[in-house]
């Protein structure tokens, strides 16, 4: 599994309906893309769920690198670059993937958290903690799925989870967060090979 994300940070007064319309018209184009586990079309809006910015930031989980390359070097990514300028596309190597307890529910919100791996950390322990966290998130009420990955060029882990409602981030009884990080609305989910994403720890 391979994770990919790029971010388009938009002006504070940007009409985010432009992004919603774009996704409604083009989101289906990746619904059967070979090698794609899933693509979550994500949007943050300034002042909503604590976001300081307007941002369009799709997140991908790939089953096959050649599928990812076909997207990056083919028409899909080029069209976005033509319209908005070419964004930096971050990549992470997959550590774990789990279907959530609400796997059959529609994904309406996503939470992403990036964390540095401390220089003094034992790598085996650091990545196992990331794997364990993905499993914990997947077991929470409202969780559709959870994944963990690592960028070895920056020594940074990323946790990505999808939820059926924004309250999935919070334990209503105890007021504790279930998933910490940046909160996004899911505008569309293309998941042609979600069932083929390898479950559990990936080494």
């Amino acid at each position: 599994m391979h994770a990919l994300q790029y971010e388009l940070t938009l002006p504070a007064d940007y009409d985010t309906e432009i992004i919603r319309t774009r996704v409604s018209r083009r989101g289906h184009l990746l619904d059967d893309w070979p090698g794609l586990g899933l693509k979550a079309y994500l949007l943050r809006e300034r002042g909503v769920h604590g976001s300081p910015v307007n941002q369009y930031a799709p997140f991908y989980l790939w089953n096959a690198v050649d599928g990812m390359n076909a997207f990056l070097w083919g028409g899909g990514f080029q069209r976005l670059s033509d319209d908005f300028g070419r964004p930096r596309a971050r990549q992470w190597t997959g550590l774990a993937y789990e279907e959530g307890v609400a796997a059959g529910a529609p994904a309406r919100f996503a939470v992403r958290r990036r964390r540095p791996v401390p220089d003094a950390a034992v790598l085996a322990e650091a990545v196992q903690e990331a794997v364990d966290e993905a499993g914990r998130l997947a077991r929470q009420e409202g969780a559709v799925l959870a994944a963990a990955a690592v960028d070895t060029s920056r020594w940074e882990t990323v946790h990505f989870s999808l939820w059926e409602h924004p309250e999935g981030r919070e334990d209503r009884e105890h007021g504790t967060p279930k998933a910490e990080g940046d909160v996004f609305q899911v505008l569309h989910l293309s998941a042609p090979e979600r069932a083929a994403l390898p479950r559990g720890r990936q080494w």
Side-chain angles (χ1 to χ4, degrees):
M1 184 180 75
H2 208 72
L4 171 76
Q5 187 179 39
Y6 46 85
E7 299 173 336
L8 298 172
T9 301
L10 306 164
D13 60 351
Y14 189 85
D15 182 1
T16 55
E17 284 303 312
I18 296 171
I19 299 297
R20 295 177 187 279
T21 300
R22 180 188 182 91
V23 172
S24 70
R25 291 176 177 171
R26 301 186 181 181
H28 70 280
L29 296 176
L30 268 70
D31 285 353
D32 58 358
W33 194 275
L36 177 62
L38 63 88
K39 174 183 179 178
Y41 295 75
L42 305 182
L43 176 68
R44 287 203 287 172
E45 293 182 281
R46 189 168 181 252
V48 179
H49 298 297
S51 176
V53 295
N54 292 323
Q55 191 176 71
Y56 177 51
F59 194 97
Y60 303 72
L61 293 176
W62 294 93
N63 277 317
V65 172
D66 56 352
M68 180 180 71
N69 287 344
F71 170 75
L72 289 173
W73 319 142
F77 189 69
Q78 186 63 55
R79 282 193 295 271
L80 178 123
S81 299
D82 290 344
D83 291 344
F84 294 99
R86 185 192 307 149
R88 294 183 179 180
R90 295 287 310 277
Q91 297 185 36
W92 298 264
T93 300
L95 294 174
Y97 173 80
E98 297 289 354
E99 290 284 304
V101 295
R108 303 192 184 282
F109 293 87
V111 181
R112 181 206 62 200
R113 181 179 66 170
R114 297 184 298 216
R115 298 179 63 187
V117 178
D119 290 341
V122 176
L123 291 178
E125 295 175 358
V127 295
Q128 186 60 53
E129 287 178 5
V131 170
D132 294 344
E133 177 65 3
R136 185 191 73 81
L137 291 172
R139 293 190 296 272
Q140 304 305 307
E141 178 188 357
V144 176
L145 59 85
V150 62
D151 177 347
T152 55
S153 69
R154 299 190 184 195
W155 288 113
E156 173 190 80
T157 58
V158 62
H159 282 96
F160 177 74
S161 49
L162 294 179
W163 303 84
E164 62 174 331
H165 47 64
E167 291 81 3
R169 298 185 59 245
E170 184 175 306
D171 183 319
R172 299 179 199 176
E173 180 179 352
H174 300 100
T176 56
K178 291 183 177 181
E180 298 178 352
D182 299 320
V183 183
F184 299 83
Q185 301 166 59
V186 179
L187 304 183
H188 180 70
L189 187 68
S190 294
E193 297 183 14
R194 174 178 167 183
L197 286 167
R199 300 281 293 271
R201 196 176 87 163
Q202 299 184 17
W203 75 91

